[in-house]
Amino acid sequence: RYSYGQRPAELDEVIVRPLDAYGAIRYLRTRTDVIADQIGLQGWSNGGSATLSSMAEVAADEPGAAMRGPKIGFRAALAFYPACGLKSRFDDRYLPYAPVRVLQGEADEEVSPRRCAALVEKSRAHGGDIEITLYPGATHDFDDPGRRRQSLEANRAAKADALPRAQAFFAAQLQGK
């Protein structure tokens, strides 16, 4: 928290971290205990922002572009309470290449749920397979199992819904394909 402006460029969630995600998928596909064409991506908070950026269609000449796409990239992604400004990189158009779901508290004190809802709405208008679930009264990090976050009924309710929702989403997207 409060480190966004001081974050070093090598930790940039919009440009650099997606390259890390694609490095990870490349590695996972070498493992015999991983089904190479059924890999999903999930991130929380800043990692949720990196997840959104990782799933975006980008120009062919951008770093990592060759790894993106429904046949070669991640099959689906889930972003928990991301910051959806994405450094204004996708203000003109955000279009995920595979299904994306966003789970966010309406009372998030660190990022704007309205901004995420607007990003999702605009993407859907362009044909994006992206949805957002907003949890009334839930805060940032609503699924943190610690006493502080779980002392709020809205966070407990959001967590109780989000965990099976996430499992069902990935089961539907990754199994049997």
Side-chain angles (χ1 to χ4, degrees), residues 15 25 44 62 70 73 93 100 110 120 127 141 143 159 163 166:
I15 303 294
I25 198 174
W44 291 260
E62 288 193 38
R93 182 175 178 213
V100 173
E110 293 190 31
V120 168
D141 207 20
D143 59 334
K159 180 182 174 194
L163 298 181

Side-chain angles (χ1 to χ4, degrees), residues 104-109 113 135-140 142 152 154-155 158-159:
Q104 191 157 39
E106 284 186 339
D108 195 312
E109 67 281 16
Y135 295 106
T139 65
H140 194 79
F142 62 77
L152 295 171
N155 285 352
K159 180 182 174 194

Side-chain angles (χ1 to χ4, degrees), residues 25 29 36-41 55 69-77 97-100 169-170 173-174 177:
I25 198 174
R29 287 190 172 138
D37 65 347
Q38 294 184 22
I39 301 172
L41 180 62
M55 298 304 293
K71 293 187 184 208
I72 55 175
F74 295 100
R75 295 296 175 252
Y97 66 79
V100 173
F169 170 67
F170 279 127
Q173 297 300 319
L174 303 178
K177 293 202 176 207

Side-chain angles (χ1 to χ4, degrees), residues 57-91:
E57 290 183 354
V58 296
D61 61 345
E62 288 193 38
M67 291 290 295
R68 297 181 190 219
K71 293 187 184 208
I72 55 175
F74 295 100
R75 295 296 175 252
L78 185 60
F80 277 76
Y81 35 84
C84 292
L86 303 172
K87 299 186 178 181
S88 301
R89 183 161 188 241
F90 301 104
D91 283 354

Side-chain angles (χ1 to χ4, degrees), residues 4 45-46 49 52 79-86 102-120 132-135 138-141:
Y4 192 78
S45 193
N46 191 262
S49 300
L52 291 177
F80 277 76
Y81 35 84
C84 292
L86 303 172
V102 177
L103 303 176
Q104 191 157 39
E106 284 186 339
D108 195 312
E109 67 281 16
E110 293 190 31
V111 298
S112 171
R114 286 188 303 273
R115 187 172 217 172
C116 283
L119 176 84
V120 168
I132 188 169
T133 300
L134 293 169
Y135 295 106
T139 65
H140 194 79
D141 207 20

